[in-house]
């Protein structure tokens, strides 16, 4: 789903005792100062179902340290104080991250924030850590696992037989992360959870039902948006089976994924004057004379001059992108350019490239994945499209960014409508089954404000890299972000079931994982 930090310190445990006068002292590890209690909940066998957030994905990868700090693992540590049992996680092999399938890398190493400035590395960047992944999908893990968070899983995937079949990984019918620890080739995530006879569960699923579509720039050919009716059916089936027999649990709704940092790092006017300077000489006037000017003139003749305007010689400039909602002017553009004296071959190519092109606008959301592609030569392998002209081969500059890198306002609205429907399903299921409920949407909305959320004297916001809540992939939480999530789950559980778990000290969790982990 996805693109371009360390020591997890557990809260020390201090237990209150009675003094010689039988006056109870304050219990510092409870939320209310009273003796710790699970309330009406039974945490003796806890299972966690979900996606990459439940797994502990961070920095665009799954690795040991990230998994150790996953919110279900932090919850299990708290549950252990009041009778919670063992909580097993299907750990990766290393802290490099990534996956191998038959020895071939199918998911790369984790990313880190490289702020070491040298002549060879003049600016901060997000880079992959050194090393090759060692976690092999086909090296199957035996036994049952409490943490059933599966990166990439959508709601209906948790019910899909064969989703953990190693034979289906290469052809895309199975999930490589689940294939490592599924109890059989035909099982489901839900079945593996229920087979453990859990007494308590957490379910946070649905993020990928919207996220996959959003990170694909709203391109359904890359990753479609789950229809609300499909989500509704899957979610009701999941909850219905999880609560059977009176089991208790906690569920969470979904933020609108377009509020994630991933969509707010690359500006619509990303083309700085420096980026349009080659060998110390600005190429703006050349681009205007040879490309932007003729295209703007032809579009203006067709009454569409606002699509592409001349580049400014001062300040930042917008990029060129494909807008599939625009009428295709390829043929008309070709005719106008030929009428202006351009040869048929060149006019055909320009019409083909710019028939549905326009410049990016402030209302467009540019995916973080575009950061490594802007200015590069488009390729079918990397971008889903290639340029028919070698001279028009700089993505965003002389060749439009394809649909997969840009979310249009209409696509953002579509995601918001779907998320609202998903959340209505989640809240209805929570209410109908008397489950604890975490309002993750409200949490994300608060993280998106300038003041963010303050916990344990540290403040978290959704600002990329510096906001402390998210890792460098712009989607998944940082260690500190996962600690905050765990505490929000604890708060909801305390309210619903009368427990008094204190949660973890958010300030003791790393903001970002460093390049090297033990």
């Amino acid at each position: 789903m996805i693109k371009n930090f360390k020591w997890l310190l557990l809260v020390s445990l201090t237990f209150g005792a009675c003094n010689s006068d039988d006056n109870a002292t304050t219990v510092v590890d409870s939320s209310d100062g009273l003796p710790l209690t699970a309330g009406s909940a039974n945490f003796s066998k806890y299972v966690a179902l979900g996606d990459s957030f439940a797994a502990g994905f961070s920095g665009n990868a799954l690795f040991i340290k990230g998994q150790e700090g996953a919110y279900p693992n932090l919850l299990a540590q708290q549950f252990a104080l009041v009778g919670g049992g063992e909580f097993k996680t299907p750990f990766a092999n290393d802290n490099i991250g990534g996956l191998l399938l038959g020895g071939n890398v199918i998911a790369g190493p984790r990313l880190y924030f490289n702020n070491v400035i040298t002549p060879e590395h003049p600016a901060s960047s997000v880079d992959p850590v050194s090393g090759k992944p060692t976690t092999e999908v086909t090296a199957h893990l035996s036994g049952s696992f409490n943490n059933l968070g599966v990166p990439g899983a959508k709601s209906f995937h948790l019910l899909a037989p064969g989703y953990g079949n190693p034979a289906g990984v290469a052809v895309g019918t199975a999930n490589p992360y689940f294939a490592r620890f599924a109890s059989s080739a035909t099982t489901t995530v839900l079945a593996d959870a229920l087979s453990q006879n859990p007494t308590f569960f957490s379910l946070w699923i649905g993020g990928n039902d919207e996220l996959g579509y959003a990170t694909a720039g709203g391109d359904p050919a890359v990753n479609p948006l789950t229809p609300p009716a499909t989500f509704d059916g899957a979610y009701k089936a999941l909850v219905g089976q999880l609560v059977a027999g009176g089991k208790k649990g906690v569920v969470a709704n979904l933020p609108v994924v377009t509020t994630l940092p991933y969509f707010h790092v690359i500006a619509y006017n990303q083309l700085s004057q420096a980026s349009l300077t080659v060998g110390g000489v600005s190429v703006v006037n050349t681009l205007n004379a040879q490309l932007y000017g003729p295209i703007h003139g032809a579009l203006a003749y067709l009454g569409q001059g606002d699509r592409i305007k001349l580049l400014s010689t001062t300040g930042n400039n917008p990029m060129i992108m494909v807008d599939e909602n625009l009428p295709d002017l390829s043929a008309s553009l070709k005719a106008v350019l030929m009428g202006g004296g351009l040869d048929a071959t060149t006019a055909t190519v320009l019409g083909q490239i710019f028939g549905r092109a326009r410049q990016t606008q402030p209302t467009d959301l540019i995916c973080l994945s575009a950061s490594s592609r802007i200015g590069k030569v488009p390729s079918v392998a990397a971008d889903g499209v290639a340029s028919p002209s070698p001279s028009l081969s700089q993505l965003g500059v002389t060749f439009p960014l394809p649909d997969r890198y840009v979310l249009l306002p209409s696509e953002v609205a579509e995601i918001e409508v779907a998320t609202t429907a998903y959340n209505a399903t989640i809240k209805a299921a929570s209410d109908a089954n008397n489950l604890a409920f975490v309002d993750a949407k409200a949490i994300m909305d608060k993280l998106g404000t300038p003041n963010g959320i303050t916990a344990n004297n540290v403040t978290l916001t959704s600002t990329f890299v510096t906001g402390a809540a998210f890792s460098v992939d712009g989607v998944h939480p940082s260690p500190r972000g996962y600690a905050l999530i765990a505490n929000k789950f604890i708060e909801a559980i305390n309210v619903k079931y009368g427990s008094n778990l204190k949660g973890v000290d958010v300030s003791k969790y790393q903001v970002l994982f460093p390049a090297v982990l033990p």
Side-chain angles (χ1 to χ4, degrees):
M1 340 183 296
I2 335 197
K3 159 147 182 40
N4 279 315
F5 314 66
K6 161 174 173 183
W7 304 271
L8 298 177
L9 303 181
L10 302 180
V11 179
S12 60
L13 306 178
T14 305
F15 295 91
C18 294
N19 62 22
S20 58
D21 295 323
D22 293 329
N23 294 321
T25 61
T26 299
V27 181
V28 299
D29 288 315
S30 67
S31 61
D32 54 11
L34 298 176
L36 280 165
T37 177
S40 62
N42 178 354
F43 301 123
S44 60
K45 175 62 75 169
Y46 164 50
V47 295
L49 293 87
D51 48 33
S52 52
F53 275 47
F57 212 85
S58 192
N60 203 39
L62 195 66
F63 52 99
I64 296 170
K65 284 294 185 182
Q67 292 175 281
E68 289 175 348
Y71 76 86
N73 284 23
L74 302 186
L75 291 181
Q77 292 167 15
Q78 292 289 298
F79 295 164
L81 302 177
V82 288
E86 184 181 15
F87 190 81
K88 294 182 179 180
T89 295
F91 283 112
N93 281 7
D94 54 50
N95 278 313
I96 295 172
L99 288 175
L100 301 174
L101 181 63
N104 299 311
V105 177
I106 60 169
R110 64 182 176 87
L111 306 174
Y112 78 103
F113 184 58
N114 185 356
N115 61 350
V116 177
I117 306 302
T118 66
E120 296 76 24
H121 186 254
S124 298
S125 60
V126 173
D127 299 326
V129 300
S130 299
K132 180 181 177 180
T134 63
T135 303
E136 170 62 53
V137 172
T138 59
H140 191 264
L141 303 178
S142 60
S144 59
F145 295 93
N146 304 73
N147 191 328
L148 292 149
V150 180
K154 297 185 179 185
S155 56
F156 51 88
H157 287 144
L158 303 189
L159 297 160
Y163 193 55
N165 185 351
V169 172
V171 294
T173 60
N175 184 294
Y177 297 97
F178 187 42
R180 291 187 65 234
F181 67 94
S183 63
S184 73
T186 59
T187 191
T188 69
V189 176
L190 178 61
D192 275 7
L194 295 177
S195 68
Q196 300 178 60
N197 297 312
T199 60
F200 193 87
F201 69 89
S202 63
L203 175 65
W204 193 11
I205 193 67
N208 288 317
D209 292 78
E210 49 171 338
L211 180 65
Y213 179 71
T215 56
D219 187 345
V222 177
N223 202 325
L225 186 66
T226 300
T230 301
F231 180 87
D232 184 74
Y235 200 86
K236 286 178 178 177
L238 288 166
V239 173
Q241 295 184 61
L242 285 168
V243 300
K247 290 189 288 292
K248 294 178 170 63
V250 57
V251 299
N253 69 1
L254 307 168
V256 178
V257 294
T258 52
T259 60
L260 293 170
Y262 186 90
F263 301 99
H264 302 279
V265 178
I266 308 301
Y268 82 96
N269 58 345
Q270 191 71 18
L271 301 181
S272 65
Q273 293 298 314
S275 67
L276 296 173
T277 298
V278 178
V281 178
S282 172
V283 298
V284 170
N285 289 331
T286 300
L287 287 170
N288 282 338
Q290 297 181 4
L291 181 62
Y292 284 74
I295 296 297
H296 170 73
L299 289 170
Y301 182 83
L302 296 169
Q304 298 290 321
D306 285 344
R307 287 194 183 187
I308 296 178
K309 299 179 180 180
L310 295 180
L311 296 174
S312 170
T313 56
T314 61
N316 283 22
N317 283 286
M319 297 174 286
I320 301 174
M321 58 168 280
V322 171
D323 184 341
E324 68 271 21
N325 291 339
L326 292 176
D328 188 355
L329 299 178
S330 299
S332 300
L333 196 55
K334 171 186 174 182
V336 172
L337 290 169
M338 288 182 64
L342 203 61
D343 64 272
T345 300
T346 303
T348 299
V349 169
L350 290 174
Q352 178 183 348
I353 294 175
F354 295 99
R356 277 202 169 111
R358 65 168 172 84
Q359 285 168 316
T360 48
Q361 300 171 0
T363 51
D364 298 317
L365 298 182
I366 316 301
C367 296
L368 184 56
S369 54
S371 64
S372 64
R373 300 303 301 154
I374 296 169
K376 300 296 178 61
V377 177
S379 72
V380 173
D383 313 296
V385 65
S387 175
S389 170
S391 63
L392 301 175
S393 57
Q394 285 186 292
L395 280 167
V397 183
T398 62
F399 189 86
L401 288 171
D403 184 27
R404 65 177 59 188
Y405 295 127
V406 185
L407 270 179
L408 306 176
S410 60
E411 293 165 339
V412 173
E414 185 182 7
I415 291 167
E416 291 174 348
V417 168
T419 305
T420 298
Y422 300 163
N423 283 344
T425 291
I426 295 169
K427 189 63 167 68
S430 171
D431 291 345
N433 295 283
N434 201 29
L435 298 172
F437 175 75
V438 179
D439 192 347
K441 181 182 182 301
I443 296 168
M444 185 63 202
D445 289 346
K446 181 67 173 175
L447 286 171
T449 64
N451 292 333
I453 295 176
T454 297
N456 302 117
N457 298 314
V458 295
T459 299
L460 297 85
T461 73
S462 61
T463 303
F464 185 63
V465 175
T466 60
F470 287 90
S471 71
V472 292
D473 63 27
V475 171
H476 300 91
S478 66
R480 187 167 290 180
Y482 275 120
L484 176 69
I485 290 170
N487 281 355
K488 295 301 181 182
F489 272 71
I490 288 292
E491 290 172 10
I493 291 167
N494 285 347
V495 169
K496 175 58 68 173
Y497 300 117
S499 52
N500 62 350
L501 298 167
K502 185 177 182 179
V504 300
D505 187 338
V506 174
S507 70
K508 294 186 180 296
Y509 289 78
Q510 194 85 356
V511 172
L512 295 174
F513 285 115
V516 178
L517 288 170

